[in-house]
Amino acid sequence: MPRSSTSYIAIVAAYSAAASMHTYHAFVPSASSSSSCVRQSAQASFSIINTATTPSSTSLFMSSTPATTTNTLTLQLEKPLGLILEESDSTIPNSGVIVTQVNEGGSAFASPSADQLSNAKITKVMETDVSAMSFDDVMDVIVGAPSPLEVEFALAAGVVVESADVVAGEEETEAAVVVEEYEIGTTVTIQVEQPDKPSITLEGKVGDNLRKTLLANKDIELYRGLKKKLGNCGGGGQCGFCAVEFKDDSESGVWGERSEYEDTRIGKKAGTEGHRLACMNNIVGPATVKT
């Protein structure tokens, strides 16, 4: 599917109902709270398998009869989703969006189907058909949807998901895997260090975008120099100008590793290992950043 290098990219991540858009970070970042894996069957005409909970949940719905394969997934996801989206076809208007990457920290990453979402097209969001919408319109639907939201994906050619061989009424629970300890909306401390100003302590909320949190404080200079002030991409994850030196201050390392996409934008030169793009990371816990 042809895509130009100028295709819009968005990080589907942390948007509260009142949040404005460009980077629907997901930190992204992302950034779900704790999750567990549960394998169980529902008592209706479908099965729910590998449900991630507490508080971000990922549910996979599939028909239990007959037990065949399908090329469509419906996931119930908490915000932030942790998806990087791109225009489905930059040469065709209103062609919808596809998933180009699933970031750690988002609820989609906790799904057992995370590996199958690459190049999948989002076809529905909360029963709204978005398959023939523009990129911006799809993002508006996602931002406006409640959390958790139900998202239907059309998987890429050759990718299938086998229906679970589960009998209604039977239930099997696997050991919980805790991947995050802060719930969405929890207030955490973000310590900001600047080379020519006193350090600033911010109160950030888990789920909020890190870039927007920093820009909301007028005493913090995220973009230094005229080039960065005038030439930044506005939070689209393209320019790399919002890169900050980063330190995870949580006891359990809730921020995890930075994404592969950030590696490509920041580079892997000595001294940049701890840097992250503020626009691509949603707050998931306490941290120290150096602008």
Side-chain angles (χ1 to χ4, degrees):
M1 190 173 297
R3 298 189 297 273
S4 70
S5 59
T6 57
S7 297
Y8 292 109
I9 295 180
I11 312 303
V12 179
Y15 262 59
S16 61
S20 61
M21 149 96 186
H22 189 275
T23 301
Y24 182 49
H25 191 235
F27 170 28
V28 11
S30 9
S32 57
S33 300
S34 57
S35 61
S36 60
C37 292
V38 179
R39 180 182 179 87
Q40 61 182 13
S41 62
Q43 296 181 354
S45 60
F46 58 89
S47 299
I48 305 176
I49 66 171
N50 294 310
T51 304
T53 60
T54 338
S56 61
S57 61
T58 306
S59 303
L60 170 59
F61 297 85
M62 294 182 295
S63 173
S64 61
T65 54
T68 56
T69 59
T70 177
N71 206 40
T72 301
L73 281 178
T74 300
L75 301 180
Q76 190 177 64
L77 302 169
E78 289 276 3
K79 296 179 182 179
L81 310 185
L83 299 176
I84 297 180
L85 303 179
E86 186 176 289
E87 290 175 308
S88 180
D89 189 337
S90 61
T91 65
I92 302 176
N94 302 329
S95 59
V97 299
I98 61 171
V99 177
T100 60
Q101 185 173 318
V102 181
N103 277 352
E104 291 187 41
S107 59
F109 187 83
S111 165
S113 304
D115 292 341
Q116 297 160 328
L117 295 180
S118 180
N119 292 318
K121 182 174 182 176
I122 295 181
T123 53
K124 287 184 180 180
V125 176
M126 300 297 288
E127 300 303 322
T128 299
D129 188 343
V130 298
S131 60
M133 287 186 179
S134 68
F135 179 92
D136 289 340
D137 287 343
V138 175
M139 296 306 299
D140 286 343
V141 174
I142 294 175
V143 172
S147 183
L149 68 160
E150 191 171 297
V151 184
E152 181 182 275
F153 300 86
L155 302 184
V159 178
V160 296
V161 177
E162 294 186 359
S163 299
D165 187 13
V166 180
V167 178
E170 294 183 358
E171 183 174 310
E172 178 186 351
T173 304
E174 299 177 356
V177 179
V178 178
V179 297
E180 180 65 77
E181 65 180 59
Y182 296 94
E183 295 185 2
I184 299 295
T186 301
T187 299
V188 295
T189 299
I190 305 296
Q191 189 75 18
V192 183
E193 298 179 1
Q194 303 183 92
D196 52 356
K197 296 180 180 180
S199 296
I200 297 175
T201 300
L202 301 179
E203 287 190 348
K205 289 189 179 297
V206 172
D208 287 354
N209 182 255
L210 179 59
R211 171 183 173 272
K212 290 185 177 181
T213 299
L214 296 176
L215 289 177
N217 189 302
K218 301 305 180 184
D219 293 326
I220 296 175
E221 189 175 9
L222 178 60
Y223 296 110
R224 294 181 176 275
L226 190 61
K227 178 181 178 181
K228 292 183 178 181
K229 284 181 171 64
L230 298 180
N232 72 81
C233 64
Q238 296 296 293
C239 66
F241 291 162
C242 67
V244 294
E245 189 175 344
F246 183 89
K247 177 179 174 290
D248 186 346
D249 290 339
S250 68
E251 294 182 358
S252 57
V254 296
W255 287 85
E257 300 294 329
R258 74 182 183 189
S259 67
E260 292 181 4
Y261 182 78
E262 287 177 282
D263 286 340
T264 64
R265 303 307 302 178
I266 298 174
K268 297 183 178 181
K269 296 180 181 179
T272 64
E273 298 88 350
H275 288 65
R276 297 199 179 191
L277 296 180
C279 69
M280 292 189 63
N281 287 272
N282 278 5
I283 297 171
V284 295
T288 297
V289 299
K290 294 182 180 180
T291 63

